[in-house]
Amino acid sequence: MQVLYKSTRGKGEPVTASVAILKGLSDDGGLFVPDHIPELDVSVEQLAGMSYQETAYEVMKLFLTDFTEEELKNCIRNAYDDKFDTREIAPLHEADGAYFLELYHGATIAFKDMALSILPHLMTTAARKNQVKNEIVILTATSGDTGKAAMAGFADVPGTKIIVFYPKHGVSPIQEKQMVTQKGDNTYVVGITGNFDDAQTAVKKMFNDKELASELDQAGYQFSSANSINIGRLVPQIVYYVYAYASLVRDGRIKNGQEINITVPTGNFGNILAAYYAKQMGLPVHKLICASNENKVLYDFFTTGTYNRKRDFILTTSPSMDILISSNLERLIYRIAGQDAEKCAGLMEALSKGGEYTITDEMKAQLSDFYGNYCTEEETKETIAHIFKNSRYVIDTHTAVAAGVYSKYVQDTGDHTPVVIASTASPYKFTRSVMDALTGNTEGMDDFALADALCSLSGVKIPQAVESIRSARVLHDCVVDAQDMPATVKKILKIK
């Protein structure tokens, strides 16, 4: 059955998956959502015998219904190849009473690789399907990981350019070095003097700027997005939750049909939304545990029903979660509003104009699938140390937020349902914070010396993604104010 995509804000006709992927954002500023969530049409027993690539096809074919089998399998084959350093692509590691789903074995050692390895192939296939003549300009704001993963995916892909904006003082040194050393004649990286929300807001405004769109079109360009607002990012993320469940069944860790909990460190809400969609497809999931850092806007939302971004922005050791406007939450709001686009649009307008909105009691009652909590910086640090001491397993700061919140969930509920924790980045991406938690002694050492020390301590090999940037030359050094982002884009594209 065909799945079409419509805007959370209701304007415009439904579009095919390929058009939704190309556009990224709907013309009315809303996000594309499937008109229905398809059910898994293969059994868990069958899935348990499949590779990651085969699982990806079985899940993605249900959402991307205007892609042919050959087109989709070709995209999957090109994406999930030897750029991943483990045969399993997304292995599970049992530690401290939980199953850590390692999503960081791709080229940029973060979970964004899982979807951004395939998005360029989906997008170029979509462009051919829709006879797009313009060059596609990927415009993206990043809180640290999306930018590098998107650039790695799109570098030198014909018919595309990619422009990434990141908060100059809001990412880790290794995250920044990964971005500013990125090769590719079509890649551009720009630091901004504001925070991630400033970058993301400016990018959304450019997407909605009709005058700018017209100027781009005349110059032979059109915007698309690699952020998690693009449905082509979200659908591939559903795959690894299905794969994790099937792996647990295959390995005899759980019985087929037994429920699991899923814990996700959450910033922009895309990764946990993918787990929610997996549950809607029929995956036996009991509770979705939403883990926040000290920017606990989502915890407050799940607790009170009010989303309020009017608060201080806190720079933490888990920077990819330093977000006050969780864009993908709009997709959940639309769903719990009974797919009432007018109601959803009203709430988003209230957030844009007044900085907050409150959902109805009826809507709040539909959030029972979720549990929200947060970890302080100190708790995050303690969790890294605790898990290493108990299990000799090293996790990064974001994964530690999830593990810490999971502990709080068990304390609050007494629920010991088997849990999958999304491990979203390699500890080598945040060596200073990890080594500080493990030894308390990081003074006088740069992030690469700390990587060597972490390797000695843990016995875990330093990933090639870190080794390759040790002495790499900085290729991108542009820094602008947030309000100058549109002018910077036009300058890059040589539009007068």
Side-chain angles (χ1 to χ4, degrees):
M1 184 179 176
Q2 189 178 29
V3 175
L4 293 175
Y5 291 82
K6 51 191 180 179
S7 169
T8 50
R9 302 188 191 179
K11 296 201 173 73
E13 293 298 310
V15 298
T16 61
S18 63
V19 170
I21 288 168
L22 281 172
K23 290 173 81 71
L25 201 64
S26 173
D27 292 338
D28 60 3
L31 307 190
F32 285 113
V33 286
D35 59 4
H36 67 282
I37 304 289
E39 285 187 26
L40 281 168
D41 61 358
V42 290
S43 69
V44 171
E45 288 95 335
Q46 289 172 288
L47 289 165
M50 290 183 186
S51 66
Y52 191 87
Q53 293 85 341
E54 289 165 336
T55 306
Y57 176 72
E58 293 301 334
V59 173
M60 293 173 65
K61 73 175 186 186
L62 301 174
F63 285 93
L64 309 182
T65 52
D66 66 325
F67 285 72
T68 67
E69 179 177 350
E70 184 185 355
E71 286 170 340
L72 192 49
K73 285 185 172 176
N74 186 51
C75 290
I76 290 166
R77 189 167 49 249
N78 286 325
Y80 303 116
D81 56 10
D82 58 9
K83 70 172 76 69
F84 287 84
D85 63 17
T86 51
R87 184 184 57 81
E88 265 206 281
I89 306 290
L92 285 162
H93 184 101
E94 188 173 2
D96 204 46
Y99 299 104
F100 288 83
L101 178 60
E102 294 180 349
L103 299 172
Y104 53 76
H105 290 284
T108 74
I109 56 175
F111 82 102
K112 307 293 173 77
D113 287 324
M114 301 299 295
L116 284 166
S117 293
I118 195 167
L119 182 62
H121 303 291
L122 293 174
M123 200 166 274
T124 51
T125 303
R128 284 195 300 273
K129 290 176 80 66
N130 291 279
Q131 290 84 49
V132 170
K133 299 290 188 283
N134 284 342
E135 192 163 351
I136 296 165
V137 178
I138 306 299
L139 189 64
T140 291
T142 184
S143 55
D145 288 336
T146 288
K148 172 62 181 180
M151 285 187 291
F154 280 95
D156 294 322
V157 170
T160 69
K161 282 184 168 56
I162 177 163
I163 305 171
V164 170
F165 291 96
Y166 74 97
K168 175 67 181 167
H169 302 293
V171 299
S172 80
I174 284 181
Q175 283 178 312
E176 182 171 45
K177 190 82 186 280
Q178 281 187 306
M179 287 190 280
V180 298
T181 58
Q182 174 65 47
K183 294 176 181 175
D185 291 340
N186 64 336
T187 63
Y188 304 87
V189 186
V190 183
I192 70 154
T193 53
N195 60 40
F196 170 73
D197 285 334
D198 297 326
Q200 180 167 253
T201 299
V203 163
K204 281 185 174 180
K205 278 185 181 169
M206 281 189 267
F207 270 102
N208 293 323
D209 186 334
K210 301 292 187 281
E211 192 176 319
L212 180 58
S214 176
E215 290 180 68
L216 283 168
D217 187 49
Q218 286 172 23
Y221 297 115
Q222 68 187 62
F223 281 147
S224 192
S225 170
N227 276 71
S228 58
I229 55 176
N230 193 314
I231 200 71
R233 269 278 304 275
L234 193 59
V235 169
Q237 290 180 282
I238 301 169
V239 174
Y240 45 73
Y241 294 114
V242 175
Y243 182 73
Y245 187 89
S247 297
L248 290 172
V249 172
R250 177 195 68 207
D251 297 341
R253 310 283 183 90
I254 62 171
K255 291 186 171 65
N256 184 11
Q258 184 178 350
E259 288 190 327
I260 62 168
N261 290 329
I262 297 175
T263 305
V264 186
T266 310
N268 224 4
F269 207 76
N271 203 4
I272 196 165
L273 184 72
Y276 174 76
Y277 277 8
K279 176 171 179 162
Q280 300 300 308
M281 293 180 80
L283 201 69
V285 176
H286 172 55
K287 196 66 80 171
L288 298 158
I289 300 165
C290 178
S292 300
N293 64 18
E294 288 183 357
N295 292 292
K296 57 187 183 70
V297 63
L298 286 166
Y299 163 68
D300 292 340
F301 169 71
F302 283 114
T303 306
T304 67
T306 294
Y307 192 99
N308 185 349
R309 63 174 173 81
K310 296 178 295 182
R311 60 184 71 203
D312 290 337
F313 185 95
I314 301 166
L315 291 173
T316 74
T317 55
S318 46
S320 299
M321 300 161 67
D322 290 348
I323 293 171
L324 296 182
I325 304 172
S326 301
S327 289
N328 271 289
L329 186 63
E330 181 171 342
R331 287 186 164 113
L332 180 64
I333 295 298
Y334 174 79
R335 192 161 178 87
I336 64 173
Q339 304 192 44
D340 183 333
E342 195 176 332
K343 185 184 282 188
C344 183
L347 292 171
M348 294 308 115
E349 187 177 6
L351 180 65
S352 175
K353 289 185 175 173
E356 66 177 303
Y357 63 79
T358 300
I359 60 174
T360 64
D361 289 342
E362 291 79 16
M363 291 169 72
K364 194 177 177 194
Q366 293 181 64
L367 296 176
S368 59
D369 287 333
F370 292 89
Y371 166 92
N373 214 320
Y374 73 102
C375 272
T376 64
E377 286 288 270
E378 193 56 38
E379 288 169 335
T380 303
K381 197 171 169 179
E382 287 167 1
T383 302
I384 294 171
H386 166 82
I387 288 179
F388 185 67
K389 183 182 175 187
N390 278 17
S391 306
R392 302 300 292 175
Y393 183 57
V394 186
I395 57 174
D396 89 299
T397 45
H398 303 74
T399 308
V401 169
V405 165
Y406 173 65
S407 294
K408 292 183 180 187
Y409 170 77
V410 172
Q411 287 168 9
D412 286 351
T413 65
D415 177 18
H416 289 276
T417 298
V419 66
V420 168
I421 294 177
S423 186
T424 52
S426 165
Y428 283 100
K429 204 152 193 173
F430 303 94
T431 48
R432 185 167 303 279
S433 300
V434 171
M435 285 301 288
D436 186 44
L438 295 178
T439 69
N441 181 23
T442 59
E443 272 187 52
M445 301 171 77
D446 69 20
D447 280 60
F448 295 101
L450 288 165
D452 293 332
L454 179 57
C455 179
S456 297
L457 180 66
S458 67
V460 177
K461 188 181 172 190
I462 299 173
Q464 182 57 32
V466 173
E467 291 289 9
S468 65
I469 60 169
R470 274 186 196 262
S471 55
R473 191 163 62 88
V474 171
L475 302 172
H476 309 271
D477 58 4
C478 179
V479 180
V480 302
D481 291 331
Q483 65 261 29
D484 295 327
M485 286 168 57
T488 304
V489 168
K490 288 169 80 167
K491 185 178 177 184
I492 287 169
L493 300 177
K494 297 181 172 61
I495 296 172
K496 292 285 188 264

